[in-house]
Amino acid sequence: MHDHHEDCGHDHGPKHIYVYSPASAVRDKAAFKRGIARLKALGHEVEVDADALATHTRFAGDDATRLAAIHRAAASGADVALISRAAYGFTRILPGIQYKKIAKAIERGTRFVGMSDFTAFQNAVLARTGATTWAGPSLEIDWGVEGEPDDIMAACFDDLLTGHGEGAGWRMGKEPPRADGRPAVPDVYVKSAQLWGGNLAVLASLVGTPYFPEVKGGILFVEDISEHPYRVERMLTQLLHAGVLARQKAVVLGQFTHYKLAPHDKGFKLQSVVDWLRTQIKAPVLTNLPFGHVPTKVLLPVGAQVSLSVEGRDALIYWGHAH
């Protein structure tokens, strides 16, 4: 448990959060405003990028505008650079990002936070500089929800801000043993491995590019939205055939949501993909990580050294004082 005493050596003061729009245009201005008001109500100083509400077709401004916003976020000196929303827009501007500036900002203490299409930025930064970014919420969807933001997401975000974040533990789904009687997920302990991954579709789109990190002996986590299990399998197959999966110590599946099975699937479902994947690689395949296009999401350090333990259905990714 966390020790929240006054003398815990962590900084609980207000933080500087820089909100910018590097990909898709903001679609719900009310949610955008709600998100900013919420973060301010928590006592933080929220700086909104000059072009945060820019639009150019489906994007938050043209490519040059969005690149400039990313570089302003890096120069802001903020504790956290938070994307307003994800959705397509990052892969096309990867060559224009000044990665040294991003790495310097991270070194100075700025945490870049986001998910979904932001996976392209995170893995490009990892491939080009080795620096750590954070898979986590975005402003519009997560902080701007009607009603209350998810309390686990909010607590994990606060842990990141105060330096309390030490890991993410969760319960995997109940699965029958494998055909040979072994448990679906064996008890395992990985002492130190690089955590990386993100959105599966975006990750698969980076294979063969200079923005795809060459991670050996890593822990790969993936999630997706609106992808039928056969598409999930097809993308995992791409990573498999590219030799990526064989090099990992574990593959961790997050949440796969908002897809519809068809009558002609005849029993082919997400679990079928999981079962198949386990026949293809030696590394354990974990399930049910609370991360993805869902309200309840943990924050994960992409590129950091972590340890992983599995005991029965209980899994823990731990990075201790890696921040």
Side-chain angles (χ1 to χ4, degrees), residues 156-240:
C156 290
F157 191 76
D158 185 62
D159 281 347
L160 173 69
L161 292 176
T162 57
H164 273 293
E166 297 199 325
W170 76 99
R171 258 208 125 185
M172 293 185 288
K174 223 176 172 155
E175 294 184 79
R178 295 167 65 153
D180 59 8
R182 286 182 299 159
V185 184
D187 284 8
V188 71
Y189 178 69
V190 176
K191 191 179 177 195
S192 181
Q194 192 169 44
L195 181 69
W196 69 297
N199 179 265
L200 179 58
V202 176
L203 206 59
S205 78
L206 297 176
V207 171
T209 73
Y211 310 110
F212 190 84
E214 296 289 323
V215 179
K216 289 188 172 75
I219 292 167
L220 172 67
F221 72 95
V222 289
E223 58 80 26
D224 223 317
I225 181 171
S226 302
E227 298 286 6
H228 186 289
Y230 84 81
R231 292 169 177 255
V232 172
E233 183 173 296
R234 184 169 62 196
M235 292 185 284
L236 287 167
T237 304
Q238 184 174 1
L239 296 179
L240 177 73

Side-chain angles (χ1 to χ4, degrees), residues 17-320:
I17 299 172
Y18 192 91
V19 172
Y20 67 116
S21 300
S24 158
V26 167
R27 287 185 209 157
D28 184 344
K29 290 206 174 65
F32 178 85
K33 285 180 180 147
R34 267 198 305 272
I36 286 165
R38 279 226 173 89
L39 290 169
K40 283 182 172 168
L42 291 170
H44 302 305
E45 177 206 335
V46 182
E47 185 180 354
V48 179
D49 184 75
D51 288 323
L53 293 171
T55 58
H56 174 81
T57 68
R58 60 182 291 123
F59 305 109
D62 61 17
D63 292 356
T65 300
R66 300 197 323 281
L67 281 165
I70 293 168
H71 297 135
R72 281 195 296 274
S76 69
D79 296 293
V80 167
L82 181 67
I83 59 169
S84 62
R85 67 169 291 133
Y88 176 70
F90 255 112
T91 45
R92 56 187 275 167
I93 59 174
L94 292 178
I97 294 172
Q98 294 167 16
Y99 292 96
K100 278 191 180 137
K101 280 188 180 171
I102 306 297
K104 276 205 174 116
I106 292 168
E107 217 172 286
R108 286 194 306 265
T110 297
R111 271 78 46 111
F112 286 83
V113 178
M115 60 165 295
S116 193
D117 188 64
F118 190 67
T119 297
F121 174 81
Q122 299 189 286
N123 285 277
V125 167
L126 182 55
R128 303 303 288 271
T129 74
T132 298
T133 56
W134 288 81
S138 59
L139 181 82
E140 188 184 323
I141 308 285
D142 294 294
W143 287 105
V145 289
E146 289 190 48
E148 285 302 303
D150 182 81
D151 53 353
I152 290 175
M153 179 281 294
C156 290
F157 191 76
D158 185 62
D159 281 347
L160 173 69
L161 292 176
T162 57
H164 273 293
E166 297 199 325
W170 76 99
R171 258 208 125 185
M172 293 185 288
K174 223 176 172 155
E175 294 184 79
R178 295 167 65 153
D180 59 8
R182 286 182 299 159
V185 184
D187 284 8
V188 71
Y189 178 69
V190 176
K191 191 179 177 195
S192 181
Q194 192 169 44
L195 181 69
W196 69 297
N199 179 265
L200 179 58
V202 176
L203 206 59
S205 78
L206 297 176
V207 171
T209 73
Y211 310 110
F212 190 84
E214 296 289 323
V215 179
K216 289 188 172 75
I219 292 167
L220 172 67
F221 72 95
V222 289
E223 58 80 26
D224 223 317
I225 181 171
S226 302
E227 298 286 6
H228 186 289
Y230 84 81
R231 292 169 177 255
V232 172
E233 183 173 296
R234 184 169 62 196
M235 292 185 284
L236 287 167
T237 304
Q238 184 174 1
L239 296 179
L240 177 73
H241 294 169
V244 175
L245 298 185
R247 293 200 292 266
Q248 308 311 313
K249 284 184 184 162
V251 175
V252 183
L253 304 178
Q255 304 301 308
F256 290 80
T257 53
H258 298 84
Y259 61 83
K260 245 198 174 127
L261 296 174
H264 62 255
D265 286 320
K266 299 214 186 301
F268 180 88
K269 53 185 192 288
L270 194 62
Q271 187 62 44
S272 319
V273 179
V274 178
D275 295 341
W276 165 82
L277 185 58
R278 289 185 176 133
T279 67
Q280 301 298 306
I281 58 174
K282 289 194 178 84
V285 178
L286 281 59
T287 58
N288 206 34
L289 173 74
F291 186 79
H293 288 72
V294 288
T296 302
K297 57 172 76 77
V298 294
L299 274 81
L300 299 166
V302 176
Q305 291 294 318
V306 303
S307 63
L308 167 75
S309 73
V310 175
E311 237 175 280
R313 283 169 56 197
D314 294 316
L316 174 70
I317 292 173
Y318 182 80
W319 51 88

